[in-house]
Amino acid sequence: MPKENLMKDDSPITMKDIARELNISVSTVSRALKDSPRISIERRRMIQQYAQEHHFMPNMLAESLRLTRVQPMKIIGVIIPEFVHYYFSTVLCGIEEEASARGYRVMVAQSGEHYEREVQLCRSFFENKVCGVIVSQAKDTHKYDHFQHLMDKGVPLVFYDRICTGINTSRVVVDDYTGAYNAVSYLIETGCRRIVYYGSQMNMEIAKNRFNGYKDALLKHGLPFREELTRICDNRHDAEMITPDLFEGDVYPDAFFAVNDDTALGILYTVKRMGLRVPEDLSICGFSNGVRAVSCDPMLTTVEQQGFRVGEEAADVLIGMVEGKIPIEKNEKRIVRTRLIIRGTTR
């Protein structure tokens, strides 16, 4: 009879795990999974059923290496939320540059901002025996078992940008709080008093930090925090939809601070369509400093995140862990400084 299953979650297991749980040899498990006639039909079915129920996935990379006798390559798994986002593409460039210079290659995948896809990617990276994983979590990630599983199996893990506070691991972030605080302070110092904040859902640490930077800048300069001037809005489409409504109430905005450049550009497009002048009637500030920040009229004031530097630092931390220069149990934390780039959308 199989032992009681002690696996903590539905993460993929190895043949060794199956052998231990069923109190049989690894060779018996291997033969049964290959449907070998040397194992009785009854035992084969029992082992195969157990493997299926516990999400066993064959190690295709290891099998390939066994057959070809090729040495495994040093490959880093990288998960980005969206390929089309300028910031994430610059982070990826930084990761690839640093990894290539140190003899590593990268295997890149996109979560598409979906938790389920992110879980699948972590399983796939583990299956293919990457030497470590660099990841920025999806917006709707709410459980962290897939990340914890990688760590439990000894796979080095480094977060960038959107960090996971549910587990302790290494991370590389920008100073989101200071970046937001400085940007909103500048808006206030240039005469703005009714500053609207467009941000992301508060389940992400960067959303909390940027919101707190906005709020503290108001209070520091003697302005009240007003709930009616905040919105959950972090993309251009939503910004174009909701911005006109803010000008129909009693509080008439004279500035906007957006959590990213795409949202800021949605605001800019909308208010210009409404006949408002930027920056004479209101100021707009974004966060990223992507290429589109200088391809609009007027050009966008924004907080520069230095994505390339973030990618370099993330790769440096991970490779340090892989090569034993940074203990895998140490939680390395690095912060990349932001800076405010002042252009034509502010006074």
Side-chain angles (χ1 to χ4, degrees):
M1 293 293 292
K3 299 177 183 179
E4 181 182 358
N5 178 31
L6 300 179
M7 299 299 288
K8 293 188 298 183
D9 51 38
D10 63 350
S11 300
I13 60 176
T14 66
M15 285 193 287
K16 287 183 180 180
D17 294 326
I18 298 173
R20 182 180 63 252
E21 295 298 321
L22 299 181
N23 197 25
I24 57 179
S25 68
V26 175
S27 61
T28 298
V29 175
S30 178
R31 293 188 183 106
L33 294 177
K34 293 177 181 178
D35 223 19
S36 170
R38 296 176 61 181
I39 309 299
S40 68
I41 294 178
E42 182 179 346
R43 173 160 285 198
R44 266 184 277 164
R45 287 176 178 172
M46 178 191 70
I47 295 171
Q48 290 169 1
Q49 181 178 353
Y50 186 92
Q52 182 177 7
E53 289 175 351
H54 292 81
H55 307 283
F56 171 77
M57 292 185 293
N59 189 337
M60 295 180 292
L61 181 59
E63 182 69 7
S64 174
L65 294 175
R66 184 184 67 81
L67 295 175
T68 62
R69 299 184 183 274
V70 175
Q71 292 299 314
M73 300 184 70
K74 298 186 290 186
I75 299 177
I76 298 170
V78 180
I79 301 177
I80 66 174
E82 294 179 304
F83 281 121
V84 297
H85 198 295
Y86 173 81
Y87 175 68
F88 293 128
S89 67
T90 58
V91 172
L92 178 58
C93 287
I95 292 172
E96 288 191 310
E97 185 79 11
E98 182 69 15
S100 177
R102 297 172 66 172
Y104 288 77
R105 299 176 68 181
V106 298
M107 180 185 297
V108 188
Q110 173 183 241
S111 69
E113 300 287 16
H114 298 303
Y115 164 76
E116 292 81 6
R117 175 63 176 159
E118 189 177 81
V119 172
Q120 293 172 359
L121 292 175
C122 285
R123 287 178 175 170
S124 177
F125 283 158
F126 177 72
E127 172 192 350
N128 285 283
K129 300 297 182 184
V130 296
C131 63
V133 175
I134 299 174
V135 58
S136 182
Q137 73 176 56
K139 286 181 182 178
D140 66 353
T141 293
H142 55 285
K143 294 191 297 184
Y144 313 110
D145 293 348
H146 52 304
F147 296 137
Q148 188 64 55
H149 171 75
L150 291 174
M151 296 176 64
D152 290 344
K153 294 295 184 180
V155 179
L157 184 65
V158 176
F159 280 92
Y160 67 93
D161 190 52
R162 303 177 190 169
I163 64 175
C164 173
T165 57
I167 57 176
N168 292 320
T169 188
S170 296
R171 61 196 61 179
V172 178
V173 297
V174 300
D175 55 343
D176 293 291
Y177 173 88
T178 303
Y181 181 90
N182 290 341
V184 177
S185 293
Y186 176 76
L187 292 173
I188 296 170
E189 290 162 3
T190 54
C192 302
R193 294 294 180 268
R194 299 176 301 280
I195 305 170
V196 176
Y197 174 77
Y198 279 6
S200 301
Q201 295 284 350
M202 289 297 183
N203 65 311
M204 294 188 295
E205 197 69 13
I206 62 168
K208 296 176 185 177
N209 290 336
R210 293 180 192 179
F211 174 75
N212 288 334
Y214 159 80
K215 186 175 180 180
D216 287 354
L218 294 177
L219 300 178
K220 179 69 174 180
H221 290 81
L223 297 178
F225 167 72
R226 306 173 69 167
E227 191 76 38
E228 66 269 25
L229 291 180
T230 65
R231 295 289 188 276
I232 299 298
C233 176
D234 60 5
N235 61 78
R236 176 167 183 156
H237 175 268
D238 289 351
E240 292 179 9
M241 293 297 103
I242 71 174
T243 297
D245 296 338
L246 287 161
F247 293 90
E248 295 180 359
D250 296 332
V251 181
Y252 201 88
D254 60 9
F256 285 81
F257 173 61
V259 73
N260 58 49
D261 285 355
D262 282 348
T263 303
L265 292 175
I267 299 167
L268 176 61
Y269 172 80
T270 302
V271 297
K272 288 177 65 177
R273 190 178 56 188
M274 293 170 61
L276 296 171
R277 299 170 301 163
V278 178
E280 292 84 359
D281 296 326
L282 77 159
S283 296
I284 302 172
C285 180
F287 206 114
S288 287
N289 195 32
V291 292
R292 280 177 281 189
V294 293
S295 61
C296 55
D297 182 25
M299 291 190 289
L300 183 67
T301 293
T302 186
V303 179
E304 184 177 49
Q305 286 183 272
Q306 300 194 72
F308 189 88
R309 174 79 182 280
V310 170
E312 284 184 315
E313 292 289 336
D316 180 64
V317 172
L318 186 76
I319 294 171
M321 295 167 71
V322 170
E323 297 181 349
K325 298 173 184 176
I326 298 175
I328 194 169
E329 66 275 7
K330 179 184 178 182
N331 297 326
E332 183 85 359
K333 298 178 182 178
R334 297 186 186 178
I335 298 175
V336 175
R337 301 299 175 189
T338 58
R339 62 177 181 142
L340 181 64
I341 307 296
I342 299 171
R343 298 193 181 101
T345 58
T346 52
R347 301 166 190 168

